[in-house]
Amino acid sequence: MKARHARWQAGKTRARVREKHVYFFGGGKAEGNATMRELLGGKGANLAEMAGLGLPVPPGFTITTEVCRYYETHGQRYPRTLRKEVEENLARVERLVGRRFGDPSAPLLVSVRSGAPASMPGMMDTVLNLGLNDRTVEGLARLSGNERFAYDSYRRFLQMYSSVVLGLKPRSETEPDPFEEALERKKKDRGVELDTDLSAQDLRELVEEFRDLVRRRLGREFPQDPEEQLWEAIGAVFRSWNNPRAVTYRRLNDIPSHWGTAVNVQAMVFGNLGPDCATGVAFTRDPSTGEKTFYGEFLVNAQGEDVVAGIRTPQQITLAASREWARRNGIPEEIRKARYPSLEEYLPRSYRELRSIAQKLERHYRDMQDIEFTIERARLWVLQTRNAKRTARAAVRVAVDMVRERLLDRETALFRVKPEDLERLLHPSLDLSASPTPLTRGLPASPGAARGRVVFSAEEAEREAREGTPVVLVRVETSPEDIHGMHAAQAIVTARGGMTSHAAVVARSMGKCCVVGCGEMEVDYGNQLFRVRDQVVRRGDWISVDGSTGEIFRGQLPLHEPELGAEFSRFLSWADSVRSLGVLANADTPEAAREARKLGAEGIGLCRTEHMFFEPERIDAVREMILADDPEGRRRALEKLAPMQKGDFREILRAMDGLPVTIRLLDPPLHEFLPNTDEEIQDLARKLGLSADALRLKRDALFEFNPMLGHRGCRLGITFPEIYRMQVRAIAEATAELRAEGARPMPEIMIPLVGFADELRILRAEAESVLREVLGKARVPIGTMIELPRAALVADRIAQFADFFSFGTNDLTQTTLGISRDDAGKFLPEYVEKKILPKDPFVTLDLEGVGALVRTAVEKARKAKPGMKLGICGEHGGDPESVRFCHETGLDYVSCSPFRIPVARLAAAQAAIAPARKKPRHP
Ligand code: PEP
Ligand code: MG
């Protein structure tokens, strides 16, 4: 009985807590605090926290995100008690401010703002100056002694409320905003440039025009009742959670739609009451570099939206920044001082107070803050603080500096940078400050940014590049013949292909900017142009490519070059000291190996030997080998390739001296190597001393319906043993030569696409016999890739013959999902959009399906051979979420393309520190 009563009591308490929908803040008190983000939204939680700290925050209250969910699921109705709670809280605000809502003699005005648990800047709606009507505006004029200000506030309110709440918007994308149009007309009539030059009478007339506009367009009067205004605005802000902008932003930033937004109702303070008023934004550090300098901008006699709208040139907060700004803009010191003084000079007391509050907030939150403030008649008010958005460079610098300043410990600092952002630091990036509209977009296959003139063939790319013209190679898709053109181009764009298509894999291994699968793009080789909807881009036109976002722009956008400071290495050394996963590179050339080592690779986890054959003088020898009729013909072709292979292996092993280099034996999907065009066939036939028809017949005999499931990987090794024998010999000889020089080469041999234990048994025995011949007793580990579901399911049997496993999750994804890696670009985006798949499974491991196979294989392998080395070398090895899975599954290492090494180092560290954290939080 007692227990039941206790349960009932607990239930009652819970019910009572849920009955509270509104949280007050102001006057040094607050019912909420910063930990209540989910309930109060980021803005509400921080306003409460600041009020609790005794900072000058205009009083107000937050209606919780629970109400947003209720409103959505109850036909846009509110919980029963909400009205009373809002009335009580409004009365509290009135008492603190000493003015009453709707009182014609001393009206209280409020702002009504959104505020979600995660920052969604500018995505939802806001209404300012609420509470004004034809009578209260007169009261405001009397109270402020400033009629112009009162009518300016009223016209702003009419404009904002009509747009946000009443839905009075331009009727089409091309129609100008009718309110802005009226304002412009008025300025023109009066012969003035700025709206601050309009008189009280002008603004009175404008208010009349605005009200008339509402009447004409909506067939109703502008609501005069402040209560009605308030409730309508609250509803509009809740509804704006589901406006298209907010929905898209949530999708792009992984913000769950069930979170909802809170609504903050807060007493207005005015930065536009006269020359001793201002409004602005301050950062506790420079958000672009992370440097520890107080930074920000403000406008005298203005409201917050003016700063955002960029109507007037904002002034700098500090004197030093103001002088620097004037120097850069060629403005003489006297003019700067007179027309654009810093806040430090203009309102020194407010400046000092703001600076000290900023320091206090940064110390309190232990993170860089972005603070919105208003100065009303020389009195400072803080309207908002939040963890500042920052560039990747700034994020690293701030994290390192804050550890030095003892504000953070190293482990916390490691979570202040998103792993994927690190990659951006290594590449140039496009300057998007002018917000250009992309021409089209595809999949972001290889990051970085580049600009160039469009060309449509590898030959042209090479020719133009030789003459010093930067080019972007645009193809329907790429094949090995295009390698030299890809090499010469600044960037590669393809209309087809997925994240692990040929172009994507090769471009990443070259560290070259690449966008694949631009579905809207129609390439017309004949006319040397491509079309995107009604736009045409011709050969020679400039385009700019962003390989990090997949966006393509017309013209030449400015580029920022990458810059790595000492902080970058220090930060990553902290990551290294906590991670347990090894981080190796996928690298096929000595340059890539050297680059990878510089970026912290602890060896090579995948050296794809077929990539070494892509160069023009080699590809013919490979073709000769593939097309040979008998082992003798193949041996002859292989003899040509052997010295090149040995030379490459020697240089790669040298670049990774003392570190393991996993060399994968040949795995060419044959179709990638066969000649396609008539020209290529003629050319090759001539070189091989055959007729074109004979060559065509041979090629056709090799035709495969599904080359990705065809005669590739170890199947080639089983049927043409001389190929792998040549490769193993080249590895062994390169190793022997380096050892003779006193180096410490550490090769490992990896057999691809194994599905049956016997494949590995046979190939291992052959490889061992060649190794013995060249290296005697010295041991070279031999392992296999697990890239077929069958291999994962019989991993214990395969483990008998393997020294290590490396999960080839590109093929494992392709074969488990039955989705071709080359064609996925066509339909996967829609699968992601329709939430059939959470993400592109060729980028982030499909944990449910492919992940289950990996776990099975790990369990079986470890049971059969405890301590066996296990890793991953599919493209997922550089994806933070997949890296976390690898850590949790107990793999020993991940291997990824060189530029993803820093990403993997940090992701591995975060996984090691917070195994329980589902998703680390970032600023
Ligand atoms: C894989 O399949 O994951 C792999 C690394 O091999 P490739 O991409 O060369 O097929
Ligand atoms: Mg593979």
Side-chain angles (χ1 to χ4, degrees):
M1 184 66 199
K2 230 172 158 180
R4 234 171 74 196
H5 182 72
R7 268 204 307 277
W8 179 78
Q9 274 293 353
K12 226 173 59 169
T13 317
R14 268 204 306 277
R16 244 202 330 267
V17 171
R18 278 202 302 270
E19 283 298 304
K20 183 168 174 60
H21 303 107
V22 179
Y23 287 72
F24 183 81
F25 57 83
K29 295 204 178 65
E31 293 175 339
N33 62 51
T35 64
M36 296 164 76
R37 276 186 96 87
E38 270 179 39
L39 189 66
L40 303 181
K43 182 178 291 184
N46 283 332
L47 281 168
E49 183 82 6
M50 286 196 291
L53 287 171
L55 298 180
V57 174
F61 53 88
T62 304
I63 307 175
T64 66
T65 54
E66 281 178 355
V67 177
C68 184
R69 289 191 286 277
Y70 186 101
Y71 184 77
E72 236 181 66
T73 51
H74 288 74
Q76 306 200 337
R77 277 183 296 110
Y78 296 112
R80 202 172 29 85
T81 52
L82 186 69
R83 188 166 280 273
K84 187 156 168 277
E85 282 185 82
V86 166
E87 278 166 11
E88 282 167 7
N89 279 278
L90 195 58
R92 246 176 119 173
V93 175
E94 288 176 335
R95 282 196 294 278
L96 270 174
V97 177
R99 275 179 255 157
R100 307 245 330 262
F101 192 56
D103 180 350
S105 55
L108 165 72
L109 303 190
V110 295
S111 63
V112 181
R113 295 172 199 257
S114 60
S119 160
M120 295 172 58
M123 296 301 132
M124 287 173 289
D125 289 331
T126 287
V127 182
L128 303 178
N129 302 317
L130 190 135
L132 279 174
N133 58 25
D134 291 354
R135 296 175 62 211
T136 53
V137 69
E138 293 296 337
L140 185 65
R142 269 195 306 279
L143 201 69
S144 61
N146 187 337
E147 190 189 2
R148 194 202 165 278
F149 152 75
Y151 276 91
D152 188 41
S153 303
Y154 195 18
R155 72 98 189 154
R156 286 170 191 268
F157 172 55
L158 277 161
Q159 190 167 350
M160 226 174 195
Y161 188 95
S162 302
S163 156
V164 168
V165 183
L166 305 180
L168 203 169
K169 304 220 159 112
R171 279 181 276 225
S172 71
E173 271 181 30
T174 49
E175 189 186 278
D177 182 283
F179 295 102
E180 285 300 327
E181 219 184 5
L183 179 63
E184 284 309 312
R185 226 180 7 249
K186 185 64 73 193
K187 287 197 283 189
K188 212 160 152 213
D189 283 354
R190 295 292 176 270
V192 298
E193 212 177 292
L194 299 174
D195 51 2
T196 41
D197 297 331
L198 292 174
S199 70
Q201 182 53 32
D202 297 335
L203 291 163
R204 250 179 209 279
E205 289 167 17
L206 210 50
V207 161
E208 260 328 300
E209 284 182 40
F210 282 8
R211 293 189 49 187
D212 200 42
L213 194 62
V214 173
R215 231 172 266 132
R216 271 188 291 116
R217 288 279 284 267
L218 302 177
R220 61 173 286 185
E221 282 299 318
F222 187 84
Q224 291 287 311
D225 175 8
E227 277 215 23
E228 180 189 341
Q229 293 173 356
L230 179 63
W231 285 101
E232 287 301 316
I234 291 171
V237 173
F238 279 140
R239 287 194 298 279
S240 73
W241 174 251
N242 284 323
N243 74 30
R245 250 180 333 175
V247 171
T248 308
Y249 187 88
R250 284 205 294 275
R251 184 163 48 76
L252 295 176
N253 292 279
D254 277 343
I255 299 172
S257 54
H258 68 263
W259 278 4
T261 180
V263 172
N264 298 291
V265 178
Q266 194 177 15
M268 287 290 301
V269 286
F270 297 98
N272 54 344
L273 266 173
D276 55 352
C277 301
T279 186
V281 179
F283 291 87
T284 53
R285 302 180 191 227
D286 185 327
S288 135
T289 63
E291 199 188 333
K292 195 179 178 188
T293 49
F294 190 43
Y295 168 89
E297 293 178 337
F298 74 106
L299 282 176
V300 176
N301 199 9
Q303 261 193 347
E305 78 231 40
D306 301 335
V307 183
V308 185
I311 307 166
R312 280 194 266 152
T313 310
Q315 291 156 240
Q316 300 295 312
I317 286 185
T318 64
L319 175 57
S322 178
R323 288 202 168 127
E324 173 57 23
W325 169 84
R327 194 189 56 73
R328 255 188 288 121
N329 290 284
I331 295 169
E333 175 63 8
E334 318 78 74
I335 296 187
R336 181 200 70 77
K337 246 176 127 166
R339 295 192 39 200
Y340 308 104
S342 64
L343 188 68
E344 196 171 348
E345 298 157 286
Y346 187 71
L347 290 168
R349 223 165 48 90
S350 300
Y351 167 79
R352 280 195 301 276
E353 196 187 349
L354 176 65
R355 188 173 186 129
S356 121
I357 287 175
Q359 281 165 355
K360 188 168 177 178
L361 283 171
E362 188 181 272
R363 272 199 307 276
H364 183 73
Y365 285 102
R366 294 169 187 270
D367 201 352
M368 169 179 166
Q369 296 298 297
D370 160 352
I371 300 160
E372 279 178 26
F373 65 92
T374 283
I375 299 169
E376 183 184 283
R377 299 214 158 121
R379 180 161 179 204
L380 176 72
W381 293 98
V382 182
L383 303 184
Q384 174 170 311
T385 191
R386 60 182 167 198
N387 293 341
K389 294 237 180 280
R390 63 205 81 177
T391 61
R393 185 170 153 217
V396 173
R397 165 107 193 238
V398 170
V400 171
D401 283 354
M402 285 195 164
V403 170
R404 212 180 280 136
E405 293 161 28
R406 298 187 189 284
L407 278 172
L408 295 182
D409 59 48
R410 287 183 182 181
E411 292 199 347
T412 311
L414 285 171
F415 281 95
R416 290 289 169 85
V417 180
K418 281 190 193 172
E420 52 271 40
D421 285 353
L422 287 180
E423 191 173 0
R424 259 189 277 139
L425 283 179
L426 308 172
H427 298 282
S429 55
L430 291 180
D431 180 348
L432 301 177
S433 52
S435 308
T437 311
L439 171 67
T440 187
R441 50 167 62 84
L443 301 173
S446 181
R451 307 160 308 178
R453 291 183 183 277
V454 170
V455 293
F456 291 98
S457 76
E459 286 66 39
E460 278 177 281
E462 206 172 29
R463 202 167 41 242
E464 297 271 347
R466 216 178 297 125
E467 283 166 18
T469 310
V471 293
V472 175
L473 176 61
V474 176
R475 302 281 303 160
V476 175
E477 60 196 339
T478 62
S479 70
E481 282 102 59
D482 297 324
I483 295 293
H484 59 295
M486 293 172 76
H487 201 76
Q490 303 293 314
I492 300 122
V493 174
T494 71
R496 287 223 285 264
M499 290 296 277
T500 56
S501 62
H502 176 267
V505 171
V506 174
R508 268 198 295 277
S509 73
M510 288 179 178
K512 187 145 293 198
C513 166
C514 175
V515 173
V516 300
C518 298
E520 292 182 321
M521 189 181 235
E522 286 171 50
V523 179
D524 179 350
Y525 290 132
N527 290 308
Q528 293 280 288
L529 54 84
F530 71 80
R531 279 194 193 84
V532 174
R533 298 179 303 274
D534 56 346
Q535 299 219 43
V536 177
V537 177
R538 293 175 194 284
R539 184 188 184 286
D541 288 354
W542 282 93
I543 58 171
S544 303
V545 183
D546 190 333
S548 310
T549 61
E551 290 175 329
I552 319 272
F553 301 87
R554 263 183 182 281
Q556 292 184 70
L557 298 186
L559 270 190
H560 291 307
E561 285 305 320
E563 249 179 85
L564 294 184
E567 288 87 10
F568 183 77
S569 331
R570 171 152 327 135
F571 184 75
L572 282 174
S573 73
W574 297 343
D576 294 344
S577 66
V578 295
R579 70 182 157 89
S580 53
L581 268 179
V583 177
L584 282 74
N586 293 355
D588 326 314
T589 62
E591 303 88 77
R594 281 190 285 271
E595 185 67 45
R597 194 165 191 166
K598 261 197 272 163
L599 292 170
E602 297 161 296
I604 291 181
L606 173 64
C607 170
R608 291 176 164 107
T609 51
E610 62 279 4
H611 285 189
M612 301 173 167
F613 294 143
F614 282 156
E615 284 175 25
E617 70 273 18
R618 298 180 181 196
I619 199 163
D620 285 343
V622 178
R623 284 174 171 163
E624 187 181 335
M625 172 189 81
I626 293 172
L627 294 162
D629 293 322
D630 51 29
E632 192 40 47
R634 258 191 305 279
R635 222 183 326 271
R636 267 200 312 276
L638 285 167
E639 267 166 25
K640 292 185 199 161
L641 290 169
M644 306 178 200
Q645 284 256 283
K646 189 164 100 180
D648 285 342
F649 291 147
R650 203 175 38 224
E651 291 318 305
I652 292 173
L653 286 164
R654 204 199 297 279
M656 281 288 168
D657 194 39
L659 296 174
V661 174
T662 317
I663 299 171
R664 180 180 73 185
L665 302 186
L666 203 62
D667 177 16
L670 289 184
H671 69 297
E672 287 192 7
F673 283 92
L674 290 174
N676 282 317
T677 60
D678 278 348
E679 202 183 333
E680 283 163 17
I681 289 174
Q682 305 272 6
D683 189 45
L684 185 65
R686 202 170 344 100
K687 285 183 189 153
L688 298 182
L690 291 169
S691 73
D693 282 343
L695 183 61
R696 235 177 242 117
L697 276 178
K698 276 169 178 280
R699 187 200 60 175
D700 294 349
L702 285 168
F703 170 81
E704 293 182 306
F705 282 103
N706 282 313
M708 276 291 190
L709 303 178
H711 196 180
R712 60 174 282 215
C714 69
R715 299 162 196 169
L716 207 65
I718 293 283
T719 47
F720 301 154
E722 50 282 353
I723 301 178
Y724 281 6
R725 254 187 248 135
M726 177 281 281
Q727 290 198 294
V728 174
R729 185 172 297 278
I731 295 167
E733 287 178 1
T735 306
E737 286 176 20
L738 286 171
R739 282 197 184 143
E741 290 173 18
R744 287 185 309 137
M746 292 177 62
E748 304 194 359
I749 291 173
M750 183 153 77
I751 317 274
L753 219 73
V754 164
F756 304 88
D758 278 341
E759 288 171 325
L760 190 59
R761 181 179 57 74
I762 294 169
L763 293 170
R764 180 181 182 108
E766 296 214 12
E768 277 176 337
S769 89
V770 178
L771 288 170
R772 249 194 320 272
E773 270 176 45
V774 185
L775 293 173
K777 284 210 192 105
R779 228 180 71 80
V780 172
I782 298 175
T784 183
M785 298 184 72
I786 301 291
E787 43 189 350
L788 296 174
R790 188 181 199 284
L793 296 172
V794 300
D796 44 351
R797 291 182 36 78
I798 296 176
Q800 285 176 280
F801 305 106
D803 297 319
F804 62 88
F805 278 171
S806 178
F807 289 93
T809 44
N810 302 333
D811 275 311
L812 191 58
T813 300
Q814 169 168 259
T815 48
T816 303
L817 275 63
I819 293 179
S820 150
R821 31 197 288 201
D822 289 327
D823 299 317
K826 273 195 206 130
F827 55 89
L828 270 187
E830 206 166 320
Y831 266 58
V832 175
E833 213 158 276
K834 297 202 163 127
K835 299 201 165 72
I836 298 170
L837 278 165
K839 292 202 171 152
D840 183 336
F842 289 102
V843 175
T844 300
L845 210 60
D846 157 38
L847 297 185
E848 205 176 75
V850 180
L853 279 172
V854 172
R855 267 193 295 266
T856 302
V858 168
E859 260 169 45
K860 286 181 172 255
R862 286 261 151 84
K863 209 177 236 164
K865 211 177 236 182
M868 180 175 174
K869 185 164 82 166
L870 303 174
I872 179 179
C873 64
E875 297 299 310
H876 306 91
D879 168 68
E881 221 174 301
S882 312
V883 170
R884 187 155 10 109
F885 166 82
C886 294
H887 174 89
E888 285 163 5
T889 313
L891 297 191
D892 297 299
Y893 69 90
V894 297
S895 185
C896 56
S897 53
F899 287 101
R900 297 226 110 196
I901 299 275
V903 178
R905 287 163 72 189
L906 179 56
Q910 292 185 347
I913 299 167
R917 255 194 251 206
K918 271 250 160 355
K919 193 165 186 196
R921 291 223 155 272
H922 298 289

